[in-house]
Amino acid sequence: LHARGQALLEQLWTGLGAIPGVTLYGPTPDQPRTPTVAFTVEGHSSEAVARHLAELGVFVSNGDFYASTIIGLLGHAEDGVVRAGCSCYTSSDEVQRLISGVVDHLLQDVQRVVGAGIHAGSLLDRLQAFEHLDGRLAIDGRDGRGTCRHGGRL
């Protein structure tokens, strides 16, 4: 069980860490720890991230988890962090769904910006960094538009 939890933790830590704007908190996976990760997404409330993931069937928690002093020292007293954990029944596919769900949440920013007629080049530059992560995002030139490989045009 420990080896399985460790593998899922490493997948979660590496996947979330590859997403621009995501900050991970806690010891790295090579340190003794439980397979639970706390993270924030720059410019997004922990509640908004948790709600978006819940809409995708990925259930995480958000808040300060009775560690208000530490969360405050991290600069998130008002909003808290998102917390996701792996257990003995968590699958690698479920971890990937969580990572993809965070990507989807960030893609909504691009959709809002493009929908408002604003050039989304800088957002797309940041998102392009995780095309290697799951192959779901293709950038079509510098016109501020992109395609989600799972369907739909931005």
Side-chain angles (χ1 to χ4, degrees):
L1 285 177
H2 176 75
R4 178 175 167 68
Q6 183 66 27
L8 293 171
L9 171 64
E10 289 173 8
Q11 178 188 356
L12 181 59
W13 186 274
T14 302
L16 289 173
I19 303 171
V22 170
T23 301
L24 298 163
Y25 300 98
T28 57
D30 61 336
Q31 301 295 314
R33 60 170 301 146
T34 61
T36 302
V37 174
F39 68 96
T40 56
V41 180
E42 180 184 352
H44 299 266
S45 72
S46 65
E47 181 178 357
V49 174
R51 285 185 183 275
H52 179 78
L53 291 171
E55 290 170 5
L56 301 174
V58 177
F59 300 102
V60 298
S61 302
N62 71 292
D64 67 16
F65 307 99
Y66 301 101
S68 57
T69 301
I70 298 299
I71 297 298
L73 290 171
L74 293 173
H76 298 287
E78 184 176 316
D79 184 47
V81 297
V82 180
R83 186 170 72 175
C86 303
S87 66
C88 60
Y89 51 83
T90 302
S91 72
S92 178
D93 288 343
E94 289 170 318
V95 171
Q96 186 58 47
R97 278 186 29 226
L98 187 154
I99 296 164
S100 296
V102 174
V103 171
D104 287 339
H105 188 68
L106 289 170
L107 286 173
Q108 289 180 353
D109 275 354
V110 175
Q111 291 170 325
R112 279 191 295 273
V113 169
V114 170
I118 300 169
H119 179 70
S122 64
L123 283 171
L124 289 173
D125 287 343
R126 293 178 72 192
L127 292 173
Q128 194 169 22
F130 46 71
E131 180 173 5
H132 72 279
L133 185 63
D134 62 7
R136 292 173 40 257
L137 177 67
I139 305 302
D140 299 336
R142 298 299 306 147
D143 66 350
R145 299 183 66 78
T147 303
C148 299
R149 292 200 199 284
H150 65 287
R153 177 115 179 117
L154 302 178

